[in-house]
């Protein structure tokens, strides 16, 4: 009774915004990064980075894809640069490095808090014998999971480091979720995807997964359904005691 069809044998969870509250920290870091960048380029005609920009162009995507996609929406194309670019350079990697620098600083200062309802759901899924994996675009997943005390549940982890290493396409492509299912030895149709990002829900649907749970942390329940969520909840604890 954890709100999933009886055919489901594995759960693939996004991290930020589904298991931990770090999505808010990422959103703040992206806003500061892009606002500072845009002001430097054109202070007199500055249009700030918005919540809608975050949901449409950044949320759920690998870091560098988020940089490219948002800047393209503003008609800006930067050279790629390389991983070692300083944060103040005008390259895709540099902008991504600046954002990562900011979010790591905030995480160090504020810590990482898992959602209590998500912890309860992980415990219930584990008791039910379901395999548990995390699929996230974040390159900081190892430290975030450990800081939140959630690494004890996770049998498979596909994160930003793995996505880059294995040259997987980022969400909304399904590659990372499909890789997570393979690591758990599970066919996609027997796995459930849990996502708060529109791009992540799209990825779950595109991958042919057996059930897609949309987690509504940003007042976008209708959009999550439109992108393919089978069910939308405000907190994972709402699924406990429910039969799908």
């Amino acid at each position: 009774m954890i709100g999933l069809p009886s055919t489901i044998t594995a759960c693939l969870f996004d991290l930020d915004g589904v298991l931990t509250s770090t999505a808010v920290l990422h959103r703040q870091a992206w806003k500061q990064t892009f606002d500072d960048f845009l002001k430097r380029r054109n202070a007199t005609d500055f249009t700030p980075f918005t919540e809608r920009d975050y949901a449409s162009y950044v949320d759920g995507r690998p870091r560098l894809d988020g940089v490219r996609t948002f800047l393209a929406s503003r008609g800006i194309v930067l050279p790629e640069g390389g991983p070692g670019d300083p944060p103040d350079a005008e390259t895709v990697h540099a902008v991504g490095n600046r954002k990562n620098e900011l979010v790591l600083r905030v995480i160090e200062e504020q810590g990482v808090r898992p959602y209590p309802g998500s912890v309860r759901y992980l415990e219930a899924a584990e008791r039910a014998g379901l395999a548990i994996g995390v699929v996230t675009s974040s390159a900081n997943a190892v430290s975030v999971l450990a800081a939140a005390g959630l690494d004890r549940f996770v049998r498979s982890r596909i994160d930003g480091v793995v996505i880059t290493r294995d040259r997987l396409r980022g969400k909304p492509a399904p590659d990372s979720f499909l890789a997570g299912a393979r690591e758990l030895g599970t066919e996609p149709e027997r796995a459930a995807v849990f996502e708060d990002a529109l791009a992540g829900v799209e990825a779950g649907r595109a991958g042919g997964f057996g059930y897609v749970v949309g987690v509504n942390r940003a007042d976008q329940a209708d959009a999550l359904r439109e992108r393919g969520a089978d069910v939308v909840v405000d907190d994972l604890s709402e699924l406990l005691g429910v039969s799908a």
Side-chain angles (χ1 to χ4, degrees), residues 33 39 57 70 74 89 103 114 121 124 142 160 177 206 208 211 214 220:
T33 298
K39 286 176 184 175
Y57 305 119
F70 169 69
R74 299 293 181 94
V103 80
Y121 193 84
V142 172
F177 280 120
Y211 207 61
Q220 55 183 4

Side-chain angles (χ1 to χ4, degrees), residues 40-208:
R40 287 199 307 272
R41 284 184 70 92
N42 191 346
T44 58
D45 191 27
F46 165 65
T47 301
F49 180 78
T50 66
E51 294 277 345
R52 184 171 182 176
D53 289 329
Y54 180 75
S56 299
Y57 305 119
V58 175
D59 192 20
R61 301 175 189 268
R63 188 187 309 149
L64 298 182
D65 286 352
V67 173
R68 297 185 195 99
T69 305
F70 169 69
L71 293 182
S73 77
R74 299 293 181 94
I76 300 171
V77 178
L78 295 180
E80 285 293 303
D85 288 354
D88 57 349
E90 289 207 357
T91 67
V92 170
H93 277 85
V95 175
N97 289 344
R98 174 59 175 160
K99 180 267 173 178
N100 196 48
E101 181 181 86
L102 288 172
V103 80
L104 289 176
R105 183 188 307 162
V106 174
I107 288 173
E108 183 177 349
E109 292 171 353
Q110 300 184 18
V112 177
R113 298 179 183 86
Y115 290 106
S118 297
V119 175
R120 288 171 54 204
Y121 193 84
L122 287 169
E123 291 170 343
E126 187 175 61
R127 285 195 302 270
L130 300 184
I132 295 172
V134 164
V135 178
T136 173
S137 298
S138 173
N140 305 311
V142 172
S143 58
V144 170
L145 284 167
L150 301 180
D151 48 351
R152 59 193 171 100
F153 296 106
V154 180
R155 285 176 45 187
S156 165
R157 186 191 73 254
I158 305 296
D159 59 13
V161 175
V162 174
I163 289 169
T164 299
R165 182 196 70 199
D166 294 350
R167 299 183 179 180
L168 303 175
R169 292 177 300 165
K171 304 169 188 176
D175 301 30
S176 54
F177 280 120
L178 293 172
R182 284 195 299 272
E183 278 209 357
L184 292 176
T186 305
E187 294 299 319
E189 61 268 22
R190 295 181 66 81
V193 164
F194 298 76
E195 263 285 359
D196 69 313
L198 301 180
V201 167
E202 285 185 52
R205 182 53 59 213

